[in-house]
Amino acid sequence: MSSATPSEPSRRSRTHTAIAVYMVLVHGLAASSLWLPWPPFALPVVIGLHVSIMLGTTVGLHRLLSHRAFRCPRWVEYGLVTLAMLSGQGSPLLWASIHRIHHVHTDLPEDIHSPLRGLWYSHLGWILDEDSTDSEAWRKYCRDLAEDRYYLWLLRYRMVPQAVTVVLLGLTLGWSALPACFFLPLVLWMHSTYCVNSVCHVRFLGFRTPDTRDFSRNVWWVSVFALGEGWHNNHHAFPGSAPHGQAWWQLDPRWAFIRLLRVCGLAWDGKLPGQRAPEPQPETRAT
Ligand SMILES: [Zn+2]
Ligand SMILES: [Zn+2]
């Protein structure tokens, strides 16, 4: 088991009102899809949007921006990151800095979303906690991304891709279709990926294969919903690896997606377990 000796942080927290209102709103709209009639095309739209946001987040923000687990043309990177912004989550610089902090201080008091402060806090509470994150941390942890004009623009306007998508879907599919066709897959995506931070760091769930210095776990059902992110103990053992599954039965759809990009000539230099990804530097970025 881990040799880390985390202790319970004692910091007080303040609720971020704007984010709390946003969360109540999107969860309410998603819940309304349970009693509102679904248009006939809703199911493929729900699945397609859920998968698109997941690929944008977990391939674009996670494996590409945060870990540089592979390289690709800039337009592919921007496309994936823009898909991730449909989630209304933090900007790419904020997301990558929080995640890199998580890897540096995993399950220690400095870890922003460790279950050290409780399962709820690691799942959603830290997002509602105004004091959980340092909005300037990207200047220290994301120097390789800090001069990218698109990512700097998204620091202030990260909600624009989501707002544009909602308006376009409302105009084309009808406003009454939005709860089922946009907000339901959005909330499904939220909790699928939040489970990686919470469930996949709970000591009595799932299993461990590599003996990492943290409490990370492999949880198969999280991988089903989060398209392979649930092999989280594997990921903490080899954070620079593009695939997360380490056995034939540990399905990893995002790795299949990266391999598809490679076949199309749109991705290269995919790192494998045991291969160390180079420290991200501005001059190593693909163009
Ligand atoms: Zn983790
Ligand atoms: Zn990671």
Side-chain angles (χ1 to χ4, degrees):
M1 193 51 198
S2 167
S3 59
T5 54
S7 58
E8 181 73 20
S10 56
R11 179 177 55 76
R12 292 170 64 88
S13 60
R14 295 177 296 158
T15 301
H16 195 303
T17 306
I19 293 178
V21 169
Y22 173 82
M23 285 295 182
V24 170
L25 187 65
V26 298
H27 280 75
L29 286 165
S32 71
S33 70
L34 300 178
W35 60 81
L36 289 174
W38 284 33
F41 48 79
L43 191 57
V45 174
V46 168
I47 296 172
L49 199 58
H50 179 74
V51 170
S52 298
I53 296 175
M54 286 298 296
L55 288 177
T57 306
T58 59
V59 176
L61 293 183
H62 189 200
R63 298 191 199 191
L64 183 56
L65 253 58
S66 299
H67 293 294
R68 289 296 176 205
F70 67 98
R71 288 157 58 91
C72 67
R74 186 70 61 89
W75 67 268
V76 173
E77 177 179 314
Y78 284 169
L80 288 167
V81 169
T82 303
L83 277 178
M85 292 299 100
L86 300 189
S87 67
Q89 227 185 177
S91 70
L93 290 171
L94 182 66
W95 202 103
S97 63
I98 289 171
H99 193 68
R100 288 177 180 178
I101 290 169
H102 171 62
H103 276 275
V104 172
H105 301 291
T106 311
D107 293 323
L108 294 170
E110 298 87 347
D111 189 353
I112 294 168
H113 48 61
S114 168
L116 285 174
R117 298 186 60 158
L119 191 61
W120 165 252
Y121 190 85
S122 65
H123 190 76
L124 183 56
W126 70 275
I127 297 172
L128 303 175
D129 179 2
E130 190 164 359
D131 301 313
S132 67
T133 54
D134 174 6
S135 61
E136 297 294 317
W138 58 272
R139 297 184 189 278
K140 175 181 178 183
Y141 288 92
C142 299
R143 291 184 184 137
D144 55 308
L145 305 170
E147 294 179 9
D148 187 295
R149 295 173 65 179
Y150 182 46
Y151 299 149
L152 290 173
W153 184 81
L154 283 172
L155 273 175
R156 296 191 67 180
Y157 302 107
R158 67 181 187 278
M159 297 302 289
V160 169
Q162 188 191 68
V164 169
T165 303
V166 167
V167 170
L168 288 177
L169 285 176
L171 291 174
T172 53
L173 304 180
W175 300 103
S176 62
L178 282 177
C181 292
F182 185 81
F183 291 102
L184 182 61
L186 172 67
V187 169
L188 287 175
W189 165 85
M190 281 180 173
H191 292 286
S192 299
T193 195
Y194 295 173
C195 278
V196 179
N197 295 335
S198 57
V199 171
C200 290
H201 278 269
V202 174
R203 278 172 269 187
F204 55 84
L205 293 175
F207 65 94
R208 290 167 59 83
T209 307
D211 186 19
T212 54
R213 293 171 60 86
D214 53 54
F215 302 132
S216 59
R217 317 289 295 183
N218 291 324
V219 184
W220 70 266
W221 56 268
V222 174
S223 270
V224 170
F225 289 107
L227 302 184
E229 284 283 311
W231 311 121
H232 200 56
N233 174 231
N234 297 348
H235 174 54
H236 273 280
F238 304 104
S241 169
H244 288 185
Q246 291 185 6
W248 65 267
W249 53 271
Q250 294 179 355
L251 298 180
D252 186 357
R254 276 95 32 77
W255 173 229
F257 177 71
I258 294 169
R259 293 173 73 180
L260 178 63
L261 289 178
R262 286 204 311 192
V263 169
C264 297
L266 296 175
W268 56 90
D269 289 350
K271 304 297 181 298
L272 298 173
Q275 287 184 288
R276 183 182 169 87
E279 193 67 23
Q281 297 294 331
E283 62 273 19
T284 66
R285 299 195 62 203
T287 54

